[in-house]
Amino acid sequence: MLYLNDEHIRAIGADWPSLATLVERTAALLGTSEAVQPLKPYLRFREPGNRIIAMPAFVGGETEMSGIKWIASFPGNVERGLPRAHGSIVLNDPATGAPEAFLCGSRLNELRTAAVSAAMLRSYLQLGRRERCRVGIIGWGPIGKAHYDMIAAMFGDQVECFRLFDVRGIDPATFGGDPRRPETMASESRQGEASAGGLSRRETVVCGSWQEVYRESDIVATCTVSPSRYIDERPAPGSLLLNVSLRDYEPSSATGTRVVVDDWREVCRENTDVERMHLEEGLKERDALTLREAIAGDGLRSLEPEVPIFFNPMGMAAFDIAVAARYWREAVRRDIGIRLEA
């Protein structure tokens, strides 16, 4: 069995276009026998704000892998100077059940989360609502930074400016001139390399409030660990809301948006914004698009241009297993990692 940690994953690098395509192809399998993922159980004990989640899945197609992600989310860790999330993934051969790899760390979670947003962004930008977009990121932890890196690498030529806000403040040195960290997967496309040349010329502004980010952005990614909802304003017409942290919006603020979910059963629970909209505003499953419909069908194209899109990704085990399997195979190819013997 191969052991991989964050250092190994960073050595392989982040090929964002390839990861977004992997998410799109995996999403196309959802609802078929080639993607099996039971409803996630949540383990809670003592402090109710903490949770450890089990995420088993089998993914066929190009991935052909089964496994389980076991991820702990302890929001209070941030105040202690510790990572909020700690994740581990075990991959099992789908033919024999034999364990193939054990992956430990937070980097894969960052990659999967931002790659899912990348797939949604591709579909949104293909609508052609704007020639150049203003991007806002609220929350400057690892997930917020991963979104910044991903958007700059994949869509930098379509970004007019970035606006950032975090309640703890943001050191400009953390996004620098060229935001892309020195990570390049061997298969990185020439297109990605070419677009990187102009990224350092875009404007990045650190804002003094979430309102400034929210009101002045066409694309807003909320990547916080906020203990309570705070966004109480309607979004800009035609905007895209990447509600990564799932618990930032007052239900009334998202009324009139087109809600997109990765899986209704998963996201309409655990005090998410979608659950609050369901209970307080009458949102039903039939009112929401799935990610599969948004990226593979015409779900978004049928919308009026001024309708905001409200994407709520609870996190699919199938995406985690697909991304982990991609990195495991690349690690084997490059002879990266630590071999564990039974």
Side-chain angles (χ1 to χ4, degrees):
M1 184 168 69
L2 189 65
Y3 170 77
L4 299 172
N5 60 23
D6 279 351
E7 182 178 349
H8 300 129
I9 300 303
R10 289 187 183 279
I12 294 172
D15 179 353
W16 292 112
S18 176
L19 290 172
T21 299
L22 178 62
V23 167
E24 291 165 352
R25 291 175 178 171
T26 304
L29 300 177
L30 296 178
T32 76
S33 60
E34 290 300 294
V36 180
Q37 49 181 13
L39 195 67
K40 298 181 287 190
Y42 285 62
L43 174 64
R44 284 193 168 87
F45 51 92
R46 295 178 179 162
E47 173 53 54
N50 300 333
R51 57 193 182 272
I52 309 180
I53 310 168
M55 301 171 62
F58 160 74
V59 183
E62 66 183 88
T63 295
E64 194 61 25
M65 184 59 67
S66 56
I68 186 169
K69 178 180 179 180
W70 179 240
I71 183 162
S73 177
F74 284 50
N77 281 358
V78 176
E79 302 303 323
R80 304 185 186 103
L82 299 171
R84 176 190 63 83
H86 293 87
S88 303
I89 295 176
V90 176
L91 298 179
N92 298 81
D93 185 328
T96 68
E100 296 281 11
F102 175 60
L103 304 97
C104 186
S106 61
R107 184 57 177 161
L108 279 178
N109 188 58
E110 298 164 15
L111 291 167
R112 184 271 294 165
T113 304
V116 172
S117 293
M120 186 68 217
L121 264 167
R122 268 183 178 169
S123 294
Y124 172 76
L125 291 172
Q126 287 169 2
L127 298 176
R129 291 186 172 185
R130 293 170 179 84
E131 184 176 346
R132 291 172 65 80
C133 294
R134 302 166 300 166
V135 177
I137 300 176
I138 302 173
W140 193 241
I143 299 297
K145 293 173 184 175
H147 277 72
Y148 184 83
D149 291 353
M150 175 273 291
I151 295 171
M154 286 187 66
F155 310 107
D157 58 347
Q158 296 172 264
V159 174
E160 178 181 313
C161 65
F162 282 89
R163 286 180 172 83
L164 314 177
F165 172 73
D166 192 289
V167 293
R168 294 159 298 191
I170 297 175
D171 182 354
T174 57
F175 54 83
D178 183 344
R180 295 212 314 166
R181 295 169 185 166
E183 300 181 17
T184 50
M185 190 177 284
S187 60
E188 183 163 7
S189 68
R190 295 300 303 177
Q191 180 181 357
E193 294 172 3
S195 66
L199 293 182
S200 61
R201 294 196 295 270
R202 80 179 171 287
E203 183 183 12
T204 297
V205 179
V206 176
C207 299
S209 68
W210 69 263
Q211 291 94 334
E212 186 179 351
V213 173
Y214 189 70
R215 294 168 185 169
E216 300 297 327
S217 299
D218 310 305
I219 298 168
V220 179
T222 47
C223 308
T224 76
V225 290
S226 176
S228 60
R229 292 173 171 84
Y230 56 93
I231 295 179
D232 55 3
E233 300 180 9
R234 296 290 180 88
S239 59
L240 171 64
L241 310 176
L242 299 170
N243 189 21
V244 179
S245 38
L246 293 168
R247 300 169 182 87
D248 291 63
Y249 289 81
E250 293 288 352
S252 59
S253 66
T255 302
T257 65
R258 190 60 156 120
V259 174
V260 181
V261 300
D262 45 15
D263 185 286
W264 177 267
R265 294 183 312 142
E266 290 286 7
V267 78
C268 190
R269 61 184 183 132
E270 294 293 327
N271 193 36
T272 64
D273 295 335
V274 167
E275 184 184 33
R276 300 320 307 169
M277 291 177 70
H278 170 64
L279 296 174
E280 299 176 28
E281 304 290 332
L283 182 73
K284 300 291 193 298
E285 181 175 3
R286 64 174 178 269
D287 302 322
L289 283 174
T290 66
L291 177 60
R292 180 184 180 186
E293 292 168 333
I295 64 179
D298 294 325
L300 297 184
R301 295 193 179 278
S302 64
L303 300 178
E304 294 296 326
E306 68 275 8
V307 175
I309 297 168
F310 189 39
F311 180 42
N312 294 264
M314 191 68 157
M316 297 287 91
F319 297 147
D320 287 288
I321 298 306
V323 170
R326 169 72 61 89
Y327 275 85
W328 165 67
R329 291 190 171 104
E330 185 67 12
V332 171
R333 187 182 74 82
R334 296 198 199 182
D335 195 24
I336 292 174
I338 301 171
R339 291 284 177 183
L340 304 177
E341 301 295 334

